[in-house]
Amino acid sequence: MQTGSMRIELATAPGDPARPNEDWAATALPAAGRGGVLVVLDGVTPPPGNGDCVHDVPWYTARLGGALTELSGSRRDIPLTEILAESIRRTADAHRDTCDLSHPRTPQATVVLARWDEEAVEHLVLSDSALLLESPEGVVRAVLDDRLDRLPSDRLVSDEVADAVARNKEGGFFTAAADPSVAGRAVTGRTPAGDVRALAALSDGASRWVETFREGDWAGCLALLAKTGPQGLIDRVRELELADTDRTYLRRGKTHDDATAVYVEL
Ligand SMILES: [Zn+2]
């Protein structure tokens, strides 16, 4: 890791300008030292008219993301899985009295959480968002929670269909909702700080560049982020979506999804 400046860029775009963006992202830097935190959440869109929660997805992601940002920054002694569990608990407490949190459609989100300091980069990934780690030699590792891909269903089915298959059920895939124990299902790891030159977090609306359109691999995706920034990646995804008029790549998927990318050069 070089001493000196740190580059952090963040961009997000709603899939549909008429609907609220259900992605949520934040970065935080300490006033002293070389540490930092990034959070990317992708709220799961519930089917209309379902659920016994008076709150919408942006309400949920703002509270969960706020708790994750605060706790991962202020409690560096606590592992990320416990940070996630406590953040879910805190968010659940905020609507336990008004809403039925046991309902399968209770608001929920995918999670990418990363925290770095002089010693290490810690990460946590739950459900289908992506975290990329680039070594000083330019080798890029994608940290993915691939449980969703192992389902016997098309990756590009709607949230509603995937939901019917297996959301938060044994053998299915897991998102942050109201049960803190889901934190134990997350993919986590710790990399020595000297082995990480850059990192990036992508919601699945942005990782389409790799996973849907196959414009390049994860290393190519990180190179594009370094060159054009997160907004450049999202702009390119939007171009690809609009160009896919015969649905070669999108198939039955929605044309645009909320897309968020955070890029950090240490
Ligand atoms: Zn609620």
Side-chain angles (χ1 to χ4, degrees), residues 52-56 59 94-96 98-101 106-107:
D52 290 310
C53 178
V54 300
H55 304 101
D56 59 9
W59 178 92
H95 61 146
R96 198 180 298 288
T98 51
C99 309
D100 175 11
L101 303 189
T106 193

Side-chain angles (χ1 to χ4, degrees), residues 68-111:
L68 288 167
T69 307
E70 192 246 306
L71 287 170
S72 56
S74 65
R75 296 302 309 272
R76 302 191 77 90
D77 54 314
I78 298 181
L80 297 186
T81 45
E82 286 178 42
I83 298 280
L84 176 58
E86 178 56 26
S87 298
I88 291 171
R89 193 175 296 117
R90 202 188 267 194
T91 305
D93 286 346
H95 61 146
R96 198 180 298 288
D97 294 341
T98 51
C99 309
D100 175 11
L101 303 189
S102 67
H103 196 284
R105 314 276 194 204
T106 193
Q108 49 204 274
T110 76
V111 179

Side-chain angles (χ1 to χ4, degrees), residues 172-222:
F173 62 97
F174 293 84
T175 50
D179 176 6
S181 72
V182 79
R185 309 269 185 179
V187 177
T188 59
R190 183 182 172 90
T191 310
D195 293 346
V196 182
R197 174 172 73 189
L199 60 154
L202 308 171
S203 69
D204 66 344
S207 66
R208 282 179 166 199
W209 189 85
V210 175
E211 297 188 299
T212 300
F213 295 106
R214 314 265 167 206
E215 276 257 287
D217 58 11
W218 293 113
C221 185
L222 203 79

Side-chain angles (χ1 to χ4, degrees), residues 93-130:
D93 286 346
H95 61 146
R96 198 180 298 288
D97 294 341
T98 51
C99 309
D100 175 11
L101 303 189
S102 67
H103 196 284
R105 314 276 194 204
T106 193
Q108 49 204 274
T110 76
V111 179
V112 175
L113 177 60
R115 175 169 66 182
W116 60 92
D117 62 16
E118 293 89 343
E119 321 241 292
V121 177
E122 300 163 87
H123 66 259
L124 178 153
V125 176
L126 183 66
S127 196
D128 59 340
S129 294

